[in-house]
C-alpha cells in the first residue's frame, strides 16, 4: 500500500465502505504521545480522498483495489 493507490475503506456506518485515492499514511498522533509515556505500539492511519472529501481510517482496514505506478 502506497500513496496514490486506489483503495476501499470502511466509512464507520455499519458495513458501508467507500473508495478513493490514498493521500497520506501517518502515525496516529495519540499513539505517539502514549508511546513516549508508556512505550505502546504506534498504529498507522490513512487519509483517503473520496467524493470531494478526505476521510481518515485505520491503515489495517484498508483494502487496495488498484496500485499506482
Amino acid at each position: 500500500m502506497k500513496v496514490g493507490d486506489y483503495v476501499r475503506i470502511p466509512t464507520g456506518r455499519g458495513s458501508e465502505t467507500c473508495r478513493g485515492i490514498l493521500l497520506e499514511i501517518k502515525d496516529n498522533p495519540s499513539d505517539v504521545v502514549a508511546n513516549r509515556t508508556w512505550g505502546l505500539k504506534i498504529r498507522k492511519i490513512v487519509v483517503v480522498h473520496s467524493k470531494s472529501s478526505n476521510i481518515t481510517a485505520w491503515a489495517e482496514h484498508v483494502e487496495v483495489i488498484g496500485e499506482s505506478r
Side-chain angles (χ1 to χ4, degrees):
M1 171 176 62
K2 61 188 175 299
V3 172
D5 286 353
Y6 187 58
V7 297
R8 178 179 312 172
I9 60 169
T11 62
R13 297 182 211 120
S15 60
E16 182 180 311
T17 62
C18 67
R19 299 175 191 177
I21 302 296
L22 180 61
L23 298 178
E24 185 177 7
I25 303 170
K26 59 185 179 179
D27 292 337
N28 178 22
S30 298
D31 288 349
V32 171
V33 172
N35 180 277
R36 286 189 213 132
T37 307
W38 297 295
L40 300 177
K41 180 182 174 189
I42 298 175
R43 297 170 289 181
K44 296 288 185 184
I45 57 176
V46 297
V47 179
V48 175
H49 184 75
S50 176
K51 299 180 184 175
S52 303
S53 64
N54 292 340
I55 302 169
T56 303
W58 294 112
E60 64 191 41
H61 296 183
V62 174
E63 176 188 351
V64 177
I65 299 170
E67 293 184 2
S68 64
R69 292 182 180 204

